[in-house]
Structures are given as C-alpha cells and as structure tokens.
Amino acid sequence: EPEVTQTPSHQVTQMGQEVILRCVPISNHLYFYWYRQILGQKVEFLVSFYNNEISEKSEIFDDQFSVERPDGSNFTLKIRSTKLEDSAMYFCAKKTSGHGNEQFFGPGTRLTVL
Amino acid sequence: TQLLEQSPQFLSIQEGENLTVYCNSSSVFSSLQWYRQEPGEGPVLLVTVVTGGEVKKLKRLTFQFGDARKDSSLHITAAQPGDTGLYLCAGGTNAGKSTFGDGTTLTVKP
C-alpha cells in the first residue's frame, strides 16, 4: 500500500494564527480522513472527505477547521485561529474502496500552539 | 456515541510469555481494525476483521472478532521485546469514521 506523507512534520505557531497542514502526495483514493491525538490521549476523528466533499465531521471540527483538495492531489486541513488546546498530533489517513474500514495513516504533523 | 474500551491499559510481561488484549463495545461495527503505534508516529494497520467470529493470524499474533461484531481480541504467543508498543483497536462503518480505543501499552522485557 502506498505511503501517506504529511508536511510539515512539526509546526510551531502562536495562538490566534492560521495553520495549514498538508497530506501529500495522494494517489487516486476517494476517502480521506483527518484525526488528531492530544499527547497521551486517544486518536480522535475530525473529518472524513469523500468525492471532494465532507461526508462526516465530529464535534471537534467546528467553524475554525476546514479541509480542501486544492489541486486534486494534496489534501489540507486548515485551522483558522489556533488555540492552545489545538496542540496535538494531526494524522491524515486514506482508505481504499472495499474491505471494511481499514485506513492507512500518515506519520502525522505535531502542532504546537504557544 | 460509539465507544471502544480496551483492556488492560498497561501490560508488562517477560519475553516468551503469552498475552491477550481485549477490545469491547456495546455497539456493533461493520469491521474492526487493530493498529500498532510507535511514539511520535502514525498508527500502522495490523489487520482488519469483518465477519462475526472471524479469526486471523499474523505470525505470532491472532486476532478474533466476536460473533456479534461488538468485541475483539488480540493474542500474542511467545512475546518478544520487538512486540513492545501501543496497540489500538478501531471500529467503524464502511467508509465512515474510525472510533479508536484508548490503547494497550505493551512492554516485553528480555
């Protein structure tokens, strides 16, 4: 299974700043996901993206969050005005069609909000 | 809200011992995945179970999906220090989100 790559590996930002996390490159998969994991806590679902639109989102994914596929391959997560509690690992995942819900995760971006 | 509970939360054993990790829920899942996660990295898929009662083997790891598709277990035979890590179960609907358990941190001492 092809790898999922994410950039940057680590992002440090000031509270209130906008950040864009990238998931690149993406092959021709239809299903993409963003998850986050606060240090020491469980992996939490943020949003799923199917056929170029959001198919499901969690309570965490409020108006400060957005997702895009700006050029048909990259998949981005934008946080408009970061808060201290947004500090976490953010994982992009993809799913191939069929065979249950098995997802393949990227290495993650560690976001630190100061 | 679908919840997955894993037990035990922490497990420390000697090399060569056997162990079982459990993943339980009150909800039915269309499939269940087991992942392994190293510190600072993303979860790595180990196996997917789809059919109630299904058993899958991956070398010394045996995965079982409960008949009612609400629970699963991971059994490791003759554990080795290389098995040390965080084991996560995750359940979900087809093409939908995955709901993760809290994980089981396994330490295998040589």
Side-chain angles (χ1 to χ4, degrees):
Chain A
E1 182 66 39
E3 289 186 355
V4 177
T5 60
Q6 291 184 240
T7 59
S9 58
H10 192 187
Q11 175 88 46
V12 181
T13 189
Q14 294 291 324
M15 188 170 57
Q17 294 297 304
E18 175 183 284
V19 294
I20 297 176
L21 311 181
R22 292 182 170 81
C23 190
V24 304
I26 297 293
S27 55
N28 289 329
H29 288 85
L30 291 176
Y31 305 93
F32 307 99
Y33 307 84
W34 282 101
Y35 293 83
R36 80 171 186 190
Q37 186 176 32
I38 296 171
L39 185 63
Q41 298 187 21
K42 68 169 63 178
V43 176
E44 299 175 291
F45 168 77
L46 291 177
V47 65
S48 58
F49 195 76
Y50 169 69
N51 209 21
N52 291 323
E53 59 184 32
I54 291 175
S55 58
E56 189 174 0
K57 59 184 180 180
S58 71
E59 294 177 352
I60 303 169
F61 195 88
D62 60 21
D63 292 343
Q64 293 299 313
F65 291 87
S66 62
V67 289
E68 282 186 342
R69 284 191 78 189
D71 56 9
S73 60
N74 297 344
F75 181 45
T76 63
L77 174 68
K78 181 191 291 185
I79 309 175
R80 290 189 182 82
S81 179
T82 51
K83 304 185 286 289
L84 295 176
E85 53 265 38
D86 293 328
S87 295
M89 284 288 287
Y90 288 81
F91 296 109
C92 169
K94 65 177 184 181
K95 176 188 173 305
T96 56
S97 59
H99 204 233
N101 201 38
E102 61 181 27
Q103 297 173 17
F104 296 90
F105 284 75
T109 293
R110 180 175 298 281
L111 176 65
T112 303
V113 182
L114 303 176
Chain B
T1 302
Q2 295 177 316
L3 293 174
L4 278 170
E5 295 184 352
Q6 285 187 242
S7 61
Q9 186 178 359
F10 298 96
L11 186 56
S12 181
I13 62 171
Q14 291 295 134
E15 182 177 2
E17 293 183 353
N18 301 331
L19 67 112
T20 302
V21 175
Y22 299 94
C23 178
N24 296 296
S25 176
S26 58
S27 302
V28 176
F29 294 99
S30 61
S31 68
L32 193 141
Q33 287 73 43
W34 284 94
Y35 295 85
R36 178 172 163 176
Q37 185 179 27
E38 300 299 328
E41 299 180 9
V44 176
L45 181 69
L46 296 175
V47 78
T48 292
V49 284
V50 178
T51 306
E54 182 177 4
V55 176
K56 282 191 174 180
K57 292 193 174 183
L58 185 65
K59 297 182 180 178
R60 293 177 293 101
L61 279 60
T62 301
F63 305 86
Q64 185 164 5
F65 202 12
D67 291 339
R69 305 207 318 274
K70 293 182 179 180
D71 54 85
S72 181
S73 63
L74 158 60
H75 181 81
I76 301 179
T77 303
Q80 299 175 1
D83 295 327
T84 293
L86 177 65
Y87 290 84
L88 303 169
C89 66
T93 57
N94 287 334
K97 67 180 183 182
S98 283
T99 299
F100 279 80
D102 287 321
T104 294
T105 299
L106 172 65
T107 302
V108 182
K109 293 178 281 188

